Amino acid sequence: YGFWGCVAHCLFVLLLLSVRGLGQSDYAPYFYDYGPGATHGNMALFSISEDTPVGTHVYTLNGTDPEEDPVRYGLTFEQGTKEYFRVDPKSGNVTLVQELDREKQAEISALVSITDGRNKVAETVRIFVTDANDEQPEFQNLPFAIDVPEDTAPGSSVYKVTAVDKDMGSGGSVSYYLQSSPLTKFTIDGHSGVLRIRANETLDYETTPAHFVTVVAQDGGGKYKGQHQVMSSTATVTINVVDAQDTPPSFVGTPYFGYIYEVSLPGSEIFTVYAKDGDQGNPNSIHYSIMNGSDGVFDINSTSGCISLTTNPSQLKSELYEIRVKAIEEGRGEGPMDYDITTVTVRVVDLNNHPPTFYGETGPQNRFEVTMFEHPPAGEILRGFKITVNDSDQGANAKFKLRLVGPGRVLRVVPQTVLNEAQVTIIVEDTSGIDYEKGSTLTFKLLAIEIDTPERFSATADIIIHLLDTNDNVPAFTSEYYVARIDENSPGGSSLVSVTAIDPDSGPWGEVKYTIYGSGSDLFSIHFSTGLISTQPWATLDAEARSKYNFYVKAEDGEGEYSLAEVFVTVLDLNDHSPEFHESLLEETMVIGAPVRIEAVDEDAESPNNVIEYSIMKADPKNIFDIDCNTGVIKLKPYIKSMEIIHNITKSQECKWSLLVEARDRGSPSFSTTAVLNIDITEATPLMAAFLKRSRGSPMKVLGMVTGIISLLVGATVLFSTAMYLRNTKSNRISPARRIIKRRPRHPEPPWSFRMPIFRDAGPSSKFLADDPEGGRADRGAGGPRAKPPPPNAPPRVLPTISGVLASRSFKKPKASSSSGSGSGRKETMSSALVSELKMRLEQKINESNQGYC
């Protein structure tokens, strides 16, 4: 089966294929043909606009297979040509992949194909590119430059421009126009492009040698990418005007001015005129000549136009010449030639060879002096100066200005601008600057400087003012006030301070004399010329009597002008007084728990001389009392809290101590004094003890409470007395015609007094005593009645009053009882007894007063 088996197999396959072909036909696919203008089919006679964007789906290949087999599409181009389209093999969609340009390729040849996989059909198709208005007109034969004679007639054509547009239809038609310009002398035919000179317009080389005309070529417009578009282009036509001999010559740089100076020589050049032919394109040469005005003293070069002087300036008869000069063209023609005439003004001027000069009464001078008093009034003319200034030149060379240079704006000069000659006046402007005290001499520079000349000649003169002094200054102290310090008890004639006043005036006006006056000045004196202030020889200063003095010193010059200054003198305190107690033997009563205070006085004026320190020098027994060194407060040692402790220390019922206390000041040297202090110690009642305990730290509280009680009692008495007086006055209003008043004989009214009843217990309280006015002692027990004094005789129509004297001594308070109510009871009894006694005395006074009117 090897080789022959394979052959048999192949034959079998061929047989099967033959049998199949006999049973079914196989047809080729084909395109649909929808005719021109269709967007699908086989692209036969398909046209596309050149402005179609790349990437646009432009066509769909469409065909079928008779056996309805799927087909695939193809699109190819000739080798070497651009592939403008691409097809999708399955869908047949044709897409533009290259930009189209009808002007470059108006027809595209392509091969489209369709296949079912077995059969393939290919067709050659022609694709037409239609026009869009995408090209602008293009000018031919650029650049445009032409020459036109200036005498060309108006309306003549001078050039024809041509532009081509590659588009078709209206987009390819071209029309022309000129860009608007109000000064253009040309016009163009819109269809032919012929450029002409406007009617009634001429060319002028001398005015405008060249014209530049912008021509616009515009197409008729057309569609481009769906929009109507008109395209244009521009080109510039340069028209060069060719000159013609039609303009006369003209002088350049007129008007002309020339000058002759006094040092000029014959043949000197005065001025050169210049003229040129108006036809600059082909100019002729110019010939110059003088027509008139030279008076035979000027000549001109016919070729160069240079005018020169022919004589000496001193022989000139006029200061001003006007020369008429003619410029004529030199041409080859036989007719008359064009010319121009101008005027040259020649002025004979002075040479600036003289500077300004100052003159005095005797001739040229550069130093002027005057003597005058200081402080002349503002605006005053200094008539002592006789100054003249002169410049011998003429015209502008003789014009100059004057300036006065010196300290500040003290003086000013008039006039400030001079022509040729002027009298110089100097005026005072600032009188304060003319001050003898600032300087006895003032120096200024007077300047004369030319204004309009290149040389700027100038002159200088010294202005010197010698001042005479006046008494225009008041003596002035170096300070408004002076402060001096001196120790008290300094010997008479001691120096305090030296005052100084300055008067800058000279002579007697500058001599200052000093005097002194004012309250407190009698203890001091001043030297009339040196200003040294001293104490009077007999004076002794005491800081304790007076520590501050102030008075005035007067500085006066020879004419009575003066000024004042104040002097303050402080007397410095010295430690010249010892501290002093009021008495050498002091008596104090001390309640346990409450301190006592001693006080000494130092008559020195200032600290530390009058600051006192207290100390206990001696005490028997010791270690019982403490003393505050600053206040002098003496109190028991903290451990002594009851009388029992006192008794244990003294072993005696009399609780008295004698202390030797010292008061010492803090001055240098320090002084001291001593005194004996007897202290009687007692014990307070419970109520008083409680109050004193609470008020231990505020003694002013105790004093305020006592003062308040007394004030209340006095106020109640005054109110009660006033009420009774008003009542009695109202009740005694009886007609005096019917009433006979008998006065009772007056008896001597014995003085009377009342005193606050004090209830005492036995023991230490017996030391609380009260004396009557007669000096006797009232020794009454607690609650004992007080005898009433005899009633006094009241004078008629006298306001009843109550008077009394309260005499008391240092006393000891009784010991507090164990019962807390006993102190309160005594207090109430004392108050009620006082009120009863006051009421009784008031009623007695009223009755006596009423009896006097019976």
Side-chain angles (χ1 to χ4, degrees), residues 19 43 148 150 192 220 238 463 474 501 508 589 594 606-607 669 778 781 799 810:
V19 172
M43 295 188 76
V148 179
E150 66 174 331
S192 64
T238 301
I463 304 297
V474 176
T589 299
E606 299 177 357
S607 63
L799 178 66
S810 301

Side-chain angles (χ1 to χ4, degrees), residues 354-359 363-365 388-392 400 420 422 448 458-459:
H354 295 92
T357 305
F358 291 103
Y359 294 88
Q365 189 174 330
T388 303
V389 63
N390 174 270
D391 191 327
S392 300
F400 55 92
N420 289 118
S458 64

Side-chain angles (χ1 to χ4, degrees), residues 29 111 119 358 386 399 474 521 531 541 588 627 646 716 721 731 833:
L111 183 67
N119 300 311
F358 291 103
K386 305 296 182 181
K399 187 176 181 181
V474 176
S521 64
L541 302 179
E588 293 288 346
I627 187 169
I646 298 295
S721 299
S731 63

Side-chain angles (χ1 to χ4, degrees), residues 14 207 212 292 296 374 406 431 502 553 559 564 582 657 683 699 774:
L14 290 173
T207 303
F212 301 94
N292 55 50
E374 63 175 338
T431 184
I502 299 174
V553 290
E559 279 194 351
L564 302 177
H582 297 297
W657 267 269
E683 189 171 17
E774 308 297 329

Side-chain angles (χ1 to χ4, degrees), residues 18-255:
S18 300
V19 172
R20 183 178 179 183
L22 293 174
Q24 185 177 1
S25 299
D26 185 13
Y27 297 98
Y30 59 90
F31 285 105
Y32 295 120
D33 186 2
Y34 295 103
T39 58
H40 55 280
N42 62 351
M43 295 188 76
L45 302 178
F46 171 66
S47 62
I48 181 172
S49 178
E50 63 177 332
D51 59 351
T52 302
V54 174
T56 304
H57 173 216
V58 298
Y59 198 85
T60 302
L61 292 177
N62 192 4
T64 185
D65 183 67
E67 290 82 21
E68 297 183 355
D69 288 338
V71 295
R72 295 176 67 86
Y73 303 96
L75 180 61
T76 59
F77 298 87
E78 296 181 2
Q79 188 174 0
T81 61
K82 285 186 178 181
E83 297 183 0
Y84 289 96
F85 305 97
R86 183 175 300 156
V87 66
D88 184 282
K90 294 183 178 180
S91 64
N93 292 334
V94 179
T95 304
L96 180 66
V97 296
Q98 293 274 2
E99 287 188 355
L100 301 175
D101 188 353
R102 187 201 66 81
E103 287 73 26
K104 293 181 179 180
Q105 187 173 355
E107 181 179 315
I108 301 172
S109 177
L111 183 67
V112 296
S113 62
I114 183 172
T115 179
D116 59 0
R118 297 184 302 277
N119 300 311
K120 180 178 181 182
V121 177
E123 297 179 5
T124 299
V125 294
R126 295 168 62 192
I127 302 171
F128 299 100
V129 180
T130 60
D131 187 41
N133 191 22
D134 61 342
E135 296 290 336
Q136 62 184 10
E138 293 182 1
F139 285 97
Q140 307 296 309
N141 303 319
L142 290 175
F144 301 142
I146 58 175
D147 295 329
V148 179
E150 66 174 331
D151 54 359
T152 302
S156 301
S157 63
V158 295
Y159 193 72
K160 179 180 180 180
V161 297
T162 302
V164 176
D165 193 324
K166 297 178 181 180
D167 290 321
M168 300 177 65
S170 62
S173 62
V174 179
S175 61
Y176 305 92
Y177 64 91
L178 300 182
Q179 282 189 348
S180 60
S181 174
L183 301 179
T184 184
K185 294 177 177 291
F186 300 91
T187 183
I188 193 171
D189 186 276
H191 298 287
S192 64
V194 174
L195 189 63
R196 301 176 182 276
I197 299 176
R198 284 179 179 271
N200 302 324
E201 293 285 353
T202 59
L203 303 180
D204 187 359
Y205 174 86
E206 288 71 26
T207 303
T208 309
H211 297 267
F212 301 94
V213 179
T214 301
V215 180
V216 179
Q218 178 179 288
D219 63 18
K223 291 288 185 176
Y224 181 75
K225 294 186 178 180
Q227 301 291 332
H228 183 77
Q229 176 175 274
V230 176
M231 303 191 72
S232 63
S233 60
T234 60
T236 299
V237 180
T238 301
I239 303 172
N240 298 311
V241 180
V242 178
D243 189 22
Q245 290 296 327
D246 59 349
T247 305
S250 62
F251 285 96
V252 178
T254 56

Side-chain angles (χ1 to χ4, degrees), residues 367-370 372-376 382 385 405-408 410-411 428 430-445 462-468:
R367 182 183 178 93
F368 300 89
E369 299 185 47
V370 71
M372 57 182 288
F373 285 102
E374 63 175 338
H375 299 304
L382 302 186
F385 290 112
V405 180
V410 177
L411 305 175
V428 177
D430 183 7
T431 184
S432 63
I434 307 176
D435 191 349
Y436 178 86
E437 286 70 34
K438 295 179 180 179
S440 60
T441 302
L442 293 176
T443 301
F444 297 84
K445 290 287 187 182
D462 293 325
I463 304 297
I464 300 174
I465 302 175
H466 301 284
L467 297 179
L468 300 177

Side-chain angles (χ1 to χ4, degrees), residues 562-590:
Y562 69 91
S563 62
L564 302 177
E566 194 168 4
V567 179
F568 298 89
V569 179
T570 300
V571 181
L572 301 178
D573 183 43
L574 298 179
N575 194 20
D576 57 349
H577 290 84
S578 301
E580 293 182 2
F581 290 102
H582 297 297
E583 298 177 0
S584 60
L585 179 61
L586 306 176
E587 296 282 345
E588 293 288 346
T589 299
M590 177 182 287

